[in-house]
Amino acid sequence: MWHWLRDKRRKKILATAFPKEWERHIQNNIQYYQHLNNIEKEHLQDLIQIFIAEKYWLGCNDLELTDEIRVIIAAHACLLILALPNDYYRNVETIYVYPTTIFSPESAPGFFELRTTPVRGPLPILG
């Protein structure tokens, strides 16, 4: 029902040119970017602009987020959906960025859940 409002907001985001500094960050850090043709590069840039604008970014453990961090994370995420019909990770609202590796907490089984495999310890997640 609110698609027209979302589409209008996205058109406004895409009306601004993709920053040259952002493209430099991608060229320096995303090796696969060099193998894309111009149409794919433009589409990826559009996806990145919308992804960065629509998500709430949170630096954890006193990490100050820079444009480079946001662009690299967004580029990796958007490469996964480059050739797919998508809605820009609609269910993802917040991007948490940690400066180092963290360990996920152990999950307690739900009331109706029956564990069929051994319980694993915390798993490392890259920041």
Side-chain angles (χ1 to χ4, degrees):
M1 183 162 97
W2 300 100
H3 297 287
W4 63 272
L5 184 60
R6 181 198 64 203
D7 294 342
K8 183 177 178 181
R9 184 182 69 244
R10 288 180 178 172
K11 281 183 184 180
K12 185 177 179 182
I13 292 168
L14 295 176
T16 60
F18 192 79
K20 294 293 181 193
E21 184 179 331
W22 287 14
E23 187 166 8
R24 269 194 312 277
H25 293 318
I26 295 169
Q27 288 174 347
N28 294 336
N29 295 290
I30 309 292
Q31 185 178 8
Y32 188 73
Y33 186 74
Q34 313 309 324
H35 300 287
L36 300 176
N37 64 39
N38 289 338
I39 294 171
E40 292 169 330
K41 286 180 181 178
E42 288 177 18
H43 184 54
L44 179 63
Q45 291 173 359
D46 291 347
L47 291 172
I48 291 168
Q49 279 184 287
I50 292 172
F51 187 86
I52 288 174
E54 289 187 348
K55 306 304 176 196
Y56 179 74
W57 295 79
L58 184 62
C60 301
N61 294 346
D62 298 325
L63 176 66
E64 186 172 330
L65 292 176
T66 62
D67 277 349
E68 182 177 13
I69 293 170
R70 286 184 184 94
V71 169
I72 299 307
I73 291 171
H76 281 290
C78 293
L79 271 172
L80 296 174
I81 60 171
L82 183 61
L84 301 174
N86 61 71
D87 198 10
Y88 304 91
Y89 295 99
R90 178 178 51 133
N91 295 329
V92 176
E93 296 176 5
T94 305
I95 309 296
Y96 296 92
V97 184
Y98 288 86
T100 60
T101 301
I102 61 167
F103 289 89
S104 64
E106 291 185 36
S107 61
F111 184 75
F112 292 106
E113 185 178 358
L114 178 63
R115 298 259 179 167
T116 58
T117 59
V119 177
R120 293 185 196 165
L123 297 173
I125 301 172
L126 295 180

